[in-house]
Amino acid sequence: MKYLLPFLLITSPLFAQHSLVEKIKQLRPATEWSQTAAIRLQFPSFHPQGMVKIGDFFYMSSVEVTRKRRDSSDGGEGAGHLFKFDATGKLLTKITLGEGSMYHPGGIDFDGKYIWVPVAEYRPNSRSIIYKVEPESLASQEVMRFDDHIGAIVHPSSSQTLSGASWGSRNFYHWNLDKTGAVTKTINTPEKLRITNPSFYIDYQDCHSISPNLMLCGGLQKIKKNDGTVLSLGGLEIVNLTDNRPVFQVPLLLWSPTGAPMTNNPFFIESTAQGLRAYFVPDDDATSTLFVYETVLK
C-alpha cells in the first residue's frame, strides 16, 4: 500500500489525470526543457526498455543479449531483467523474467498495484508472456501468453482492459480482464485481435496509461536522408485506446551526449506544481544515465 499513494497523487484521481494530460498537450517543439540531473546508473543496465517511477524508486525493464540474432528468424539468446533502483542510480534489487527464447522485456506500466511487463522473443511476429509484478516484493505472476511480439503494455487503473503494442508499434491489441485481473475467455489470436496503428510518426519504445482511455508513448523514428546520413528524431504521442488513434503528437528535441534521442529507450513523465518533470534513460550499458528534465507550463 505504501506504493499506491504516490501514484494516486500523480495520476489516479480524475482531476490529476486531467491535469497531466492537459499539461502534456501544452508541449510544443519549441518548449524549453531544463536538465536538472544526470545520474549514471551504478549497475550493468544492458539495453533498457521501459520505466516507471513509484514513490522515490524507479523500476526499469532491460534486455541482456548473450548471443546476437543471426537473422530475422533467429531470436538470439539472453535474459530479461526488471531493475529497482533509487534516485542516486544505486541498484536495490532485480528479478529475471521470461522463458527460453522469450527474454526481451518491453515498455512497462503501473496501475497503482502492479507493474505490467511484456517479455517477448527478440524478433517481430513471435511470442510473448505478459507478467504483473508486485513492486515491493517483486513477486511476479504470469497473466497470459500471446502469439506476437508485444513491445509495450498498459493497464489503466480504472479499466478492465489490457492494451499492448506490437514490434515497432505497428499493431494494437486489447484484452478484457475479469475482476481477478485474469484475461477473460476470448479468441486470442493476433489475426482476430490486431488493429493497425494509423500513425507512423514514431515507433513506440515505452508507454504509460494516463487516463482510463489514453496512453502516453515515447519513441523515435530514424529518417535516412538523401546523403545517406540518418537522423533520429524522438517524440511523444498520446493515443486514444478507444479508437486507437493519436490525439496529440509532439517532437521532443532533446538528445543525450551520445546523440541518442531522449526517448530512444524508457521514459517517465510526472506532473509538478510548475509544469512537468521527465525522466529518460536513452543509452545502453556503461553509458546508461538517468536524465531528469523539467519544464514550466502556464
Side-chain angles (χ1 to χ4, degrees):
M1 184 61 68
K2 74 176 184 178
Y3 290 99
L4 185 59
L5 183 57
F7 180 82
L8 291 176
L9 290 173
I10 295 173
T11 61
S12 185
L14 292 179
F15 74 89
Q17 290 184 342
H18 178 78
S19 174
L20 180 62
V21 172
E22 293 309 310
K23 285 181 179 181
I24 292 170
K25 287 183 177 180
Q26 291 184 47
L27 295 176
R28 299 293 182 268
T31 296
E32 294 185 5
W33 291 87
S34 299
Q35 182 180 305
T36 58
I39 304 155
R40 184 63 61 89
L41 300 188
Q42 302 173 40
F43 57 93
S45 63
F46 308 111
H47 180 23
Q49 298 293 309
M51 180 169 64
V52 293
K53 179 174 180 282
I54 305 175
D56 295 327
F57 303 111
F58 297 87
Y59 297 79
M60 186 176 75
S61 62
S62 181
V63 56
E64 175 188 4
V65 177
T66 57
R67 180 181 66 79
K68 293 184 178 180
R69 296 176 293 162
R70 290 186 291 262
D71 51 47
S72 60
S73 64
D74 174 41
E77 297 176 359
H81 303 285
L82 182 66
F83 301 117
K84 177 182 179 180
F85 62 95
D86 64 18
T88 70
K90 178 183 177 181
L91 180 66
L92 301 177
T93 187
K94 65 177 181 178
I95 58 171
T96 300
L97 295 171
E99 176 186 296
S101 60
M102 290 181 284
Y103 64 89
H104 187 308
I108 66 177
D109 194 26
F110 179 58
D111 65 5
K113 185 175 182 181
Y114 294 107
I115 301 169
W116 293 78
V117 186
V119 183
E121 292 185 17
Y122 207 155
R123 60 189 183 91
N125 307 311
S126 55
R127 301 175 300 151
S128 302
I129 304 174
I130 309 301
Y131 298 91
K132 60 181 181 181
V133 179
E134 199 282 318
E136 186 169 6
S137 65
L138 288 190
S140 64
Q141 178 182 342
E142 180 180 322
V143 176
M144 71 169 185
R145 298 188 176 216
F146 191 67
D147 288 333
D148 197 2
H149 178 110
I150 302 301
I153 199 85
V154 297
H155 180 236
S157 58
S158 58
S159 171
Q160 292 299 112
T161 300
L162 187 66
S163 298
S166 68
W167 178 284
S169 64
R170 292 304 93 215
N171 295 299
F172 295 126
Y173 296 101
H174 304 291
W175 302 272
N176 293 322
L177 304 177
D178 62 23
K179 293 182 180 180
T180 69
V183 177
T184 59
K185 297 293 183 181
T186 183
I187 299 173
N188 203 29
T189 62
E191 295 77 15
K192 294 290 185 179
L193 291 180
R194 70 169 52 115
I195 301 169
T196 301
N197 182 356
S199 173
F200 293 88
Y201 167 54
I202 57 172
D203 289 346
Y204 311 147
Q205 303 297 306
D206 195 12
C207 295
H208 308 291
S209 56
I210 56 173
S211 85
N213 67 332
L214 296 176
M215 69 176 177
L216 173 65
C217 295
L220 74 155
Q221 189 63 257
K222 292 185 177 181
I223 303 167
K224 188 174 183 179
K225 299 190 291 186
N226 291 336
D227 62 3
T229 59
V230 176
L231 171 66
S232 293
L233 178 66
L236 298 170
E237 190 161 293
I238 297 177
V239 179
N240 189 316
L241 296 171
T242 303
D243 62 12
N244 305 287
R245 294 183 177 276
V247 298
F248 179 76
Q249 301 168 310
V250 63
L252 190 70
L253 305 182
L254 299 173
W255 288 267
S256 81
T258 67
M262 281 294 163
T263 50
N264 185 60
N265 285 335
F267 83 103
F268 187 79
I269 292 181
E270 61 187 2
S271 182
T272 66
Q274 294 76 31
L276 294 170
R277 182 180 297 117
Y279 305 88
F280 308 99
V281 182
D283 300 307
D284 298 345
D285 300 318
T287 58
S288 282
T289 300
L290 176 67
F291 292 96
V292 185
Y293 281 83
E294 295 193 19
T295 186
V296 176
L297 301 170
K298 296 181 180 180

